[in-house]
Amino acid sequence: MRMAIAAALLTAGLALQPMPAVARVAQVASAGFVVRHIVQVTASPEEAWAVLTRPSVWWDAEHTWSGEAANLSLDARAGGCFCEILPAKSGDKAGGRGSVEHLRVIYAEPGRALRMMGALGPLQSEALTGTLTFQLKPDPSGTSTQILLEYVVGGYARTAFNQLAPAVDGVLANQMKRLAQKLGGSFAEAFSGIDTGIDAGKAVENVEPTEEEAPGLNTAVPPGLLPLSESPAPPTGAPIGR
């Protein structure tokens, strides 16, 4: 499936890939939406980082512009690009290879956190921006690592967010499943404290959960994972999160 087909599916409000588990959209509002997923992998944070920053070995080729994951690359440093090469077509006389910027790195702390900004896939054609964060947390036993994905999207789109959110959620859930399998782990439903009733291919109501409907909205994420503390830690000279 090429991105042109994916765009049509998104416009129709359909999931782009079969879900490995029930989809969990954390929040949908008139201004945007939030998607979160968690995987547990039997690898150290350093090992997980090494694979995470090589999307060519785990990203689904079905969700590339070229149809080949091997054309993906990620320069994991501030200002670096999660990019894709578009091979020249046979007989093309217009200038050879093209390229796509999927996301741009704004925070990179090896073994701990990677944050990028940009509108993935068909969202690129809309007036949208998104912040995609991966955070790695080692298990106290030292035998595994928990990886949290959070994608926050906002702006203006010609398709309602309550249609876009489940489709984007389905794609990212599939990507996280593939990452977990590459590292030797399992996919887990993120944000399990909030049951939105969403499944792949089903639109959701355009609402924000209240505290009564979703108690402990932020604490539903395991301690130490995103969202990072809104109260910055005292200066230590070491890099910290938001």
Side-chain angles (χ1 to χ4, degrees), residues 116-241:
M116 299 176 282
M117 290 191 69
L120 286 168
L123 301 185
Q124 191 180 80
S125 64
E126 304 299 317
L128 295 171
T129 187
T131 302
L132 179 67
T133 300
F134 292 93
Q135 183 160 318
L136 287 64
K137 181 184 178 185
D139 183 87
S141 68
T143 60
S144 65
T145 300
Q146 195 173 59
I147 305 174
L148 170 70
L149 171 150
E150 181 180 73
Y151 193 36
V152 183
V153 177
Y156 177 80
R158 289 165 290 187
T159 301
F161 288 124
N162 63 348
Q163 294 179 312
L164 289 176
V168 173
D169 179 79
V171 172
L172 292 179
N174 181 57
Q175 304 293 10
M176 286 292 275
K177 180 184 178 183
R178 292 172 61 88
L179 176 61
Q181 290 173 335
K182 193 71 178 180
L183 288 165
S186 61
F187 179 92
E189 292 180 11
F191 231 67
S192 58
I194 298 177
D195 185 355
T196 62
I198 299 167
D199 58 22
K202 182 179 178 181
V204 298
E205 294 299 322
N206 198 23
V207 298
E208 297 185 35
T210 64
E211 180 62 24
E212 290 73 22
E213 294 170 333
L217 183 65
N218 290 338
T219 58
V221 179
L225 292 179
L226 288 175
L228 299 178
S229 173
E230 296 293 342
S231 301
T236 61
I240 59 174

